[in-house]
Amino acid sequence: MTSSVVLLAAGSLKGAFIPLLARFHQQTGIQVEARFGPAGLLRERIESGERCSVFASANSQHPLALQQAGLAGECHPFARNQLMLTARRQASTDEADWLALLSNPQLRLATSTPGCDPSGDYTWQLFTRIEADFPGVGRALMARAQQLVGGRTSLSVPPGETAGGWLIGEDLADLFIGYAHYARQMTARDDLRTVAIPAPWNVQAEYLLTMTQPSAGAQQLCRFILGADGQQFLRSAGFLPANGES
């Protein structure tokens, strides 16, 4: 009987990993039980003893912390991402650029939760960079931002929805800072506008992979994700390659 593998993976990877894991199972016969969630909370679950063969994180901090604690092996970069602003389409703001939108105190800004979810950590890094060049603006954003998703007691985003699209669609926010790989889904909606955040202020998200309970199946899964087939699924889902190529 082929052994199963338990994968704990950042929620942002779900769209890429569901078809990736189906192909992996088709090719190897290895069944993967995938559980998705905010990477910071997944790390805590691993530290508490939850069974996990492979951990795929949306940052380097959590896998490296597990490695330093003796709970994980070598860490491998396998994808990159960056931040993007999603805004409600409305005549009063459709011509505004990213900074004008963020600086508008009339617009409700939602984010993920720092500490629990790397998306929130990257967003606060963005605010820090903005503050360095536009004194007062970054601090105001930190004070104004509502951490509505990605935390221990946050709202649950319905299956098939993106956090930003759902929050804006439910009239819980007017703006959302999240990952740029969701742009394809967002642009399909007439009520949403995606706005790029320029490179000097945007934050590069590095995704790392590590084995926490080594096995032949876990090794095969890691090789598949890092290999050409796995990388193609990630690229198709909008992720950037780990090697820095565009």
Side-chain angles (χ1 to χ4, degrees):
M1 180 178 178
T2 304
S3 61
S4 64
V5 171
V6 176
L7 168 69
L8 297 191
S12 55
L13 291 164
K14 190 171 185 178
F17 271 15
I18 293 298
L20 181 156
L21 295 173
R23 179 68 60 82
F24 175 73
H25 176 65
Q26 182 184 52
Q27 291 188 5
T28 66
I30 297 172
Q31 187 69 44
V32 178
E33 180 184 344
R35 305 167 190 163
F36 297 94
L41 299 183
L42 295 179
R43 167 192 162 185
E44 291 179 2
R45 286 160 54 179
I46 294 170
E47 290 171 332
S48 296
E50 181 171 332
R51 184 183 170 220
C52 172
S53 312
V54 176
F55 177 41
S57 175
N59 70 0
S60 60
Q61 174 188 345
H62 299 311
L64 291 174
L66 292 174
Q67 184 186 52
Q68 291 172 0
L71 297 174
E74 186 176 355
C75 299
H76 304 276
F78 68 95
R80 288 183 302 120
N81 211 337
Q82 55 189 354
L83 296 177
M84 174 187 73
L85 179 64
T86 301
R88 181 192 309 281
R89 280 200 176 278
Q90 48 192 25
S92 61
T93 60
D94 268 0
E95 299 302 319
D97 67 12
W98 70 280
L99 188 59
L101 287 167
L102 287 176
S103 301
N104 186 339
Q106 302 303 314
L107 300 178
R108 296 166 296 169
L109 172 63
T111 71
S112 194
T113 305
C116 296
D117 185 6
S119 175
D121 298 325
Y122 294 131
T123 299
W124 255 249
Q125 291 177 37
L126 167 67
F127 293 162
T128 299
R129 292 183 180 186
I130 292 172
E131 179 64 23
D133 288 337
F134 306 98
V137 176
R139 288 199 307 273
L141 289 169
M142 292 179 193
R144 192 174 112 236
Q146 302 177 65
Q147 301 169 27
L148 297 184
V149 294
R152 291 178 179 82
T153 59
S154 294
L155 299 170
S156 296
V157 179
E161 294 272 8
T162 61
W166 181 71
L167 290 170
I168 294 173
E170 292 295 310
D171 198 27
L172 297 170
D174 303 303
L175 305 172
F176 183 77
I177 299 174
Y179 289 125
H181 79 286
Y182 289 122
R184 297 175 191 178
Q185 291 171 256
M186 298 297 195
T187 53
R189 289 180 45 170
D190 294 336
D191 61 329
L192 299 178
R193 173 189 171 207
T194 60
V195 184
I197 299 171
W201 299 279
N202 209 330
V203 179
Q204 290 289 315
E206 184 179 38
Y207 286 59
L208 260 63
L209 184 71
T210 186
M211 282 191 294
T212 51
Q213 294 176 351
S215 67
Q219 290 176 342
Q220 283 184 265
L221 176 59
C222 288
R223 285 197 296 267
F224 187 84
I225 293 170
L226 294 167
D229 286 348
Q231 290 296 298
Q232 184 57 51
F233 280 105
L234 288 159
R235 291 295 293 274
S236 295
F239 288 91
L240 301 170
N243 59 16
E245 296 177 359
S246 59

